[in-house]
Amino acid sequence: MASEIICHVANRLADAVRAFHMAQATAAASAQRAAEDREKVTEARDQLATAIVAAARDGMRQVDIVRVTGYTRERVRQILRAHGITPD
């Protein structure tokens, strides 16, 4: 009888250890995905800045860039100034 109780407790403990290890693995995978997603956001932001600069150099007005991108006028101006383009 005592050995059955010990066996039952050991099984519950083993289940808890497996659940803990699975949770750790899930957290590690989530952290990796988050880091990859942050990198994708950075790349997309850089591409958008490049497109904003190209649009301004092609003659698009800043007010139109603001409307299309959803950025504020000041943010568009910051991006353009950083690339050597003077604001309207």
Side-chain angles (χ1 to χ4, degrees), residues 22-86:
M22 286 178 55
Q24 280 183 318
T26 300
S30 293
Q32 178 63 32
R33 279 192 307 275
E36 291 167 1
D37 290 345
R38 280 191 297 277
E39 179 63 28
K40 287 178 185 176
V41 167
T42 300
E43 289 173 13
R45 186 181 300 122
D46 292 344
Q47 289 174 355
L48 180 55
T50 300
I52 288 170
V53 170
R57 286 188 175 141
D58 289 343
M60 187 173 200
R61 296 179 320 147
Q62 286 184 23
V63 68
D64 295 326
I65 295 171
V66 167
R67 184 177 39 78
V68 171
T69 63
Y71 275 173
T72 64
R73 184 173 176 89
E74 181 55 32
R75 183 64 187 133
V76 169
R77 291 176 67 166
Q78 289 171 354
I79 291 168
L80 294 176
R81 278 192 302 256
H83 289 85
I85 298 174
T86 56

